[in-house]
Amino acid sequence: MNLVNSSRWRIAWMTSAILLGQTLGAQNYEEQGLFPTSMEEILAPSPANPTPQSRGSAPTANQDPSYFLPETSPAQSGPPSTVVPTQRPRSQAVGQQGIPTQVLLPAPQPVAEAIESPNSPTIVFGDTQTGFAQEEQVAESGFDPGQLLADKQYAELEPWVLENQDVGMAGALGWSYFKDENYPKAIEWFEQSLRWDENFNEAAYGLALSLYNEGYLQQAEAVARWKLTAYPGMQDILGDIYMTRAISSFKAERYEDTLTDLKRISQNRPLTRGERVIEAWSYYHLNQLDKSANLFLDLYRQDRDQVAAVGLYASLSREGNWDRIQKLVNEYGGPLGDIYALYTSERYYDRRLYLKASQLAPRGEAESMPLTQNINAPKAELSVEFVARDGDPGLSELNAAYGPKVSGTIFSDAVNRFDVSIGLVNLDAGELPNFATIGLYPTTPNPGYVITPNTSYNGMIEPTIGYYREDWISPYIEIGMTPLGGAADSDFTGRVGFQTLYDSGSWDLEIYRRSVKESLLSYTGMKDPYSSLVWGRVLETGLHLSVFHSFKETLNFYGSMEIAKLSGQNVADNEKIRIDLGLTRTFKPDDFHYVNFGPIITFYSFNNNQNFFTYGHGGYFSPEYLAQGLINLQFMTEEGKDYLFKGELGAGGQSNKQASSNYFPLAPDNRTFSGTSESTGILISNLKGMMFLTEQWAFGAEIGYNKTPSYEEIRGGIYTTIFFEPREGLLETDFPNYQY
């Protein structure tokens, strides 16, 4: 095709301003790694050394000064300085003026993504052009500029354009070079075209695009502002310039600068979805979690994709707003529900709430949480335990055998655990000597017994049932009875409470009613050999509050308090208060879940001394005060293996005072027991272990020795457990008599 030699017609290779003005919002930010697309990226540990250009930091000597923009837009009354012709030559035909923009520009900075060239040419006319001139003139000697441009014969075409100062063909050369991604040459010819006619707005547009793609953001901004009123498409270029700067700020962790640039974008065009995602993440990193959560929620409502779901979950979980996450999952579902299920289950798993983790874990995640395998399968247990405690024969001495005891556990809806147990209890206090100070001890010397003393009870039955629901707040209830078949009537025991977990620890609140198992008298009661009256079977009813807090996972604090009332059949009431404080250091050697070492201090006090065996007394240690301290070592091996061991060893000392007491607290006479004070050493030790014999059958045993202010004892036991489904490994909850 032959082109006219008119001075006012222009050609620009463009598809449209819309195609050429592509914004960065259409880019795939996920592929650039600009913001997280999974929670692993959020939960990954931060690098040890922060980014040199941290948020709010000043530019370094090597940083492109064009990066920083003035807070207000510069006024542009004429062409920007970068397109003013100079006398300085550049690489083009000899004798022609050039615009040495490359000499004036600083080193370019990388753009977020180059704006693509058009796919097909379109003719764009100037302000005074109405179409092709009808009187075409064929170039002399067969010279065809249009064909040379189509064939990219630039070396032959450029001298002709310069000689004829053809504005349109200069612009066409710029667009051709732009399509070839030869942005320096595109800049050269767009500038040349504008030097001949600064009202050629399409050339200004091409110049701004080329400067942008070459990384000259400040100069591209200057051109765009120069023609902003005359050519509205410049708004998109300004948006892309600010977007590039916003991305640079975001990657350098200058999140406040990112938000500033995003605000400037919104002044030129609406933010794209990708830009709004970056805005939300910027607020997240600035710890403005309410704003980030609300922005991500708006994005998720519009399009329930993975990117918005990750941001929404990250913002709300960082606030600890789990209730809102759950409500949004119920309302919107989608990827947010999958993320909530996966990462919430992992959070439960890390806190050893294996039942809840198993309930929430999506299918296919079992390999990452092996201890949840068949964790809620039923199991049955058979155990036998013994206690041998020294003391005065027939009084404070106690030999107890618990078993055989059969226990069973079933689960409902994964997290609801039901336990039931029934076992035999055999108690023996030894042979009571003649003339013992017991019951209604008469005032006559060497009194004889009215009935034969009974200090041994065998075959008593002790049942218990319990319910426990596992979650961050875990309620539980347990109901049992004192041994059926003892001297005193059996009575109810039990406890109800809940345990609350938080990120660094837990706290517990419990109301309880339990047997005092220090002697035959306190446990099941006795029949008075002097009168055949029955008394004893003491129950302690109280409130227990405890807290455990871990500092940096290595230093732990434990504290507990109990306030209780003790009462029994024909026994004087008593009140008790107890406080325990502990500070331990945690070590985690290989194959151990924990090793805790540190001091524990205990103080408790009773209103009156019930540590005697006459009628109205309870036969249990009840000092006016006791203060003790010990150094304690606790450990447990790693869960999930074919074996599991748990133990405790503590040694220290105590001092106590026991008040004097009437022989008969319910009907005092003139006889009293003298008070005492003493200081002794104490020792606590216990070791238990289990191992798999098969993948569904485990065997265990335990042994312990304790020396307390009131007695010494040896404890032991053996037990076996049948799991109804194969288990991956043993857990602490598999030990018998595990307290929730």
Side-chain angles (χ1 to χ4, degrees), residues 341-361:
L342 175 59
Y343 292 100
T344 302
S345 65
E346 291 183 353
R347 187 164 174 257
Y348 280 113
Y349 189 83
D350 292 340
R351 292 306 306 273
R352 301 171 63 216
L353 298 174
Y354 302 126
L355 295 175
K356 190 66 176 181
S358 174
Q359 181 192 48
L360 293 178

Side-chain angles (χ1 to χ4, degrees), residues 95-116:
Q96 299 294 329
Q97 293 185 3
I99 305 174
T101 307
Q102 292 174 322
V103 176
L104 299 178
L105 293 177
Q109 63 184 95
V111 298
E113 183 174 296
I115 299 180
E116 298 177 358

Side-chain angles (χ1 to χ4, degrees), residues 461-478:
I461 298 175
E462 192 171 41
T464 304
I465 60 172
Y467 165 78
Y468 166 78
R469 179 179 177 84
E470 186 174 274
D471 209 323
W472 292 112
I473 299 177
S474 300
Y476 57 86
I477 183 171
E478 186 176 273

Side-chain angles (χ1 to χ4, degrees), residues 273 276 280 290-304 308-309 311-313 315-316 324 328-329 331-332 336:
R273 182 176 179 84
R276 293 174 64 199
D290 285 341
K291 289 185 178 180
S292 66
N294 290 334
L295 285 172
F296 280 124
L297 179 56
D298 288 342
L299 291 166
Y300 194 69
R301 284 169 173 161
Q302 295 169 10
D303 184 3
R304 298 173 192 177
L312 181 56
Y313 180 85
S315 300
L316 293 176
R324 189 180 182 192
L328 292 175
V329 168
E331 184 175 357
Y332 296 106
L336 181 63

